[in-house]
Amino acid sequence: MKTALITGITGQDGSYLTEILLKKGYRVHGIIRRSSSFNTGRIDHLYENPDLLNKKLFLHYGDLVDTSNLNRLLEKIEPDEIYNLAAQSHVKVSFQIPDYTAQVDALGTLRFLDAIREVGLKQVKFYQASTSELYGKVQEVPQNEKTPFYPRSPYGVAKLYGYWIIVNYREAYNIFASNGILFNHESPRRGETFVSRKITRAASRIAAGLQKELTLGNLNAKRDWGYAPEYCEGMWRILQHKKADDFVLATGETHTVREFTELTFQQIGIELLWKGKAENEKGYIKSIDLDKAKKLISYSKNKKVYIRDFTSRLKKGEAIVAVDPNYYRPTEVDLLIGDAEKARKILGWKAKTRFEDLVTLMIKADLEKVLKRGF
Ligand code: NAP
Ligand code: G4F
């Protein structure tokens, strides 16, 4: 039985990776941060599945800024594989807390690599959660493993250090350390302040009358959005490759935030009409197709109540999307589109879920939550 250690186990990717590794028969250890309230919501369901769990999941308090704790954990756990997913992962927030972001995302990676050397874990394999944010002001379209980097945020710059320290320790000390350069990947477990989830959550709440308006920043930024569980399977494949190497994981398709918003509302039967420019731009209800909404929520027991409320609540011509410049970034990444050909050829990995299916599964999940819990 292999043993894996996951940092960031309570995050979106950490939770999916845990499920994948447990299913593959791994013993999984995860590092969680001390918090004043519960922060294990994304992995709590695993405790309701004794077959999967079977005393194979262990949680430890720790933090990437606490070196002594990392050393102790490595000595105790002696993992075969380490997945370093912990990070201050929000790009906009990194402009507000740049020092902390660098401490965790850049130096946190170094602390881990040094702990591996000090403890003397010669056989361990290390996965680093690198990111398409490294490409920033893109120097090439699409972006692949050879595209030069040009990060555009304290987050991107911190992750650039993480990327290169992995390469350096691999070359200097022969540590099996690989970078996964992952493009945006989303899911119903995505944090609520990332744009995809912010949109699907707000749309479901607007439809249910719990929110009036969705307020966004830059509607024209383009992202290559994939489905998170598939990317977590890709992380595992990267560490199963015979030699340490760096891989891009992406869908090869790009869409604007505006398209994500339009498609989300379309899924619940609302066509948007955009009027105005820049911060004065708004999205108005052009038409409402109730049959479409009915189909999407046909699984719900509360369907009738919901549809009745939905009909009376929303009106043609109403503004439901607005722009707030507070969500703009001092420097933006305008366009990301990845070329994952190397991963396809060497690892046999390919993104399967298309943009439209991703949006549909996310809005469905948020609608279901609204209907079940009423928030
Ligand atoms: P996420 O949902 O924000 O999860 C981040 C995780 O890191 C959480 O478990 C968080 O703990 C933990 N964490 C934060 N600061 C920490 C610290 N100082 N010490 C220990 N743990 C800490 O992020 P994600 O979307 O799953 O992404 C996983 C990794 O992939 C991140 O490194 C991210 O930068 C990178 N990445 C993500 C994407 C994407 O599109 N999702 C793309 C490329 C790269 P709490 O739960 O306590 O906050
Ligand atoms: O959803 P986002 O915050 O994701 P972003 O900045 O692309 O970062 C995510 O993906 C990276 C991989 O490329 C990861 F490394 C990183 O950890 C994170 O997971 O924003 C996407 C786009 C941006 O251009 C942003 O300006 O959406 C635009 N946007 C427009 N309105 C908004 C909003 N972003 C957020 N978060 N909130 C808005 O209201």
Side-chain angles (χ1 to χ4, degrees):
M1 187 189 279
K2 277 192 191 170
T3 300
L5 171 61
I6 303 176
T7 73
I9 193 168
T10 56
Q12 170 189 258
D13 290 2
S15 67
Y16 286 119
L17 182 64
T18 303
E19 284 169 17
I20 290 168
L21 295 181
L22 286 173
K23 279 187 192 143
K24 290 184 190 295
Y26 278 65
R27 188 183 292 120
V28 177
H29 291 260
I31 294 182
I32 59 166
R33 293 197 288 181
R34 194 271 161 190
S35 165
S36 64
S37 54
F38 295 125
N39 62 355
T40 53
R42 290 188 179 102
I43 49 173
D44 283 346
H45 64 284
L46 291 173
Y47 290 96
E48 287 152 24
N49 188 341
D51 284 349
L52 201 60
L53 207 62
N54 200 17
K55 294 192 184 149
K56 287 192 300 188
L57 176 61
F58 307 91
L59 300 179
H60 311 266
Y61 282 112
D63 200 298
L64 285 201
V65 300
D66 186 336
T67 310
S68 58
N69 166 276
L70 292 182
N71 283 26
R72 268 198 307 276
L73 284 176
L74 285 187
E75 268 169 5
K76 191 165 121 187
I77 298 165
E78 292 187 5
D80 301 295
E81 294 171 11
I82 297 172
Y83 296 85
N84 184 30
L85 310 185
Q88 191 303 93
S89 70
H90 203 285
V91 173
K92 175 76 197 287
V93 172
S94 77
F95 288 97
Q96 273 124 31
I97 48 170
D99 184 329
Y100 177 74
T101 303
Q103 286 296 334
V104 180
D105 299 11
L107 295 179
T109 312
L110 172 67
R111 287 184 192 105
F112 232 115
L113 291 169
D114 252 354
I116 289 173
R117 286 188 61 219
E118 264 179 42
V119 174
L121 294 177
K122 293 210 169 61
Q123 302 304 318
V124 75
K125 294 178 172 186
F126 190 93
Y127 173 88
Q128 169 63 8
S130 283
T131 164
S132 49
E133 279 293 303
L134 298 177
Y135 299 118
K137 191 170 177 181
V138 298
Q139 304 293 297
E140 190 175 34
V141 178
Q143 298 85 49
N144 62 33
E145 293 80 0
K146 295 203 168 90
T147 304
F149 298 134
Y150 192 144
R152 294 272 279 172
S153 63
Y155 168 81
V157 176
K159 285 282 187 176
L160 186 71
Y161 180 91
Y163 173 93
W164 280 115
I165 203 68
I166 288 287
V167 175
N168 182 248
Y169 271 52
R170 181 163 80 209
E171 293 172 355
Y173 305 115
N174 209 18
I175 293 178
F176 191 113
S178 298
N179 283 293
I181 308 171
L182 271 50
F183 282 64
N184 298 54
H185 44 279
E186 320 293 315
S187 74
R189 295 187 200 167
R190 185 59 142 151
E192 291 88 347
T193 61
F194 295 95
V195 79
S196 61
R197 186 73 200 292
K198 183 172 169 183
I199 295 169
T200 58
R201 182 171 178 269
S204 61
R205 286 169 53 84
I206 288 171
L210 298 167
Q211 187 173 330
K212 278 258 168 243
E213 210 170 52
L214 159 65
T215 314
L216 293 170
N218 180 5
L219 294 171
N220 300 318
K222 288 181 153 181
R223 290 290 181 276
D224 179 328
W225 278 294
Y227 183 40
E230 292 167 10
Y231 287 60
C232 295
E233 164 74 22
M235 294 173 188
W236 175 77
R237 288 196 191 197
I238 287 173
L239 285 199
Q240 307 319 304
H241 185 45
K242 57 182 182 302
K243 71 179 185 51
D245 202 350
D246 307 320
F247 293 91
V248 161
L249 301 185
T251 68
E253 245 190 79
T254 192
H255 295 274
T256 59
V257 170
R258 186 188 300 277
E259 286 174 272
F260 200 112
T261 312
E262 287 169 353
L263 192 55
T264 301
F265 280 103
Q266 268 171 27
Q267 297 301 317
I268 53 170
I270 296 174
E271 281 298 325
L272 286 177
L273 175 68
W274 300 98
K275 282 191 205 164
K277 286 220 166 83
E279 55 261 43
N280 295 318
E281 187 164 13
K282 280 191 185 277
Y284 296 86
I285 299 180
K286 188 177 166 198
S287 61
I288 304 175
D289 173 358
L290 281 170
D291 286 341
K292 189 137 192 203
K294 271 184 208 160
K295 263 182 221 148
L296 192 70
I297 57 163
S298 57
Y299 56 85
S300 165
K301 280 186 204 141
N302 299 330
K303 178 169 85 171
K304 284 199 187 103
V305 182
Y306 179 70
I307 291 297
R308 195 193 58 226
D309 290 354
F310 188 86
T311 338
S312 56
R313 213 171 267 133
L314 295 168
K315 305 266 180 299
K316 261 169 80 172
E318 209 176 315
I320 50 172
V321 186
V323 172
D324 181 346
N326 280 322
Y327 293 112
Y328 292 164
R329 293 162 186 195
T331 38
E332 174 64 287
V333 173
D334 296 317
L335 163 70
L336 290 175
I337 177 164
D339 168 7
E341 188 54 19
K342 180 176 170 185
R344 193 191 62 75
K345 268 197 195 141
I346 298 180
L347 308 174
W349 182 90
K350 198 172 182 317
K352 293 191 192 86
T353 304
R354 304 289 306 272
F355 178 64
E356 187 163 342
D357 298 325
L358 174 69
V359 173
T360 308
L361 72 85
M362 287 182 72
I363 178 67
K364 252 184 138 164
D366 271 324
L367 264 181
E368 198 170 356
K369 273 188 197 135
V370 161
L371 292 172
K372 263 194 199 147
R373 300 197 218 141
F375 67 86

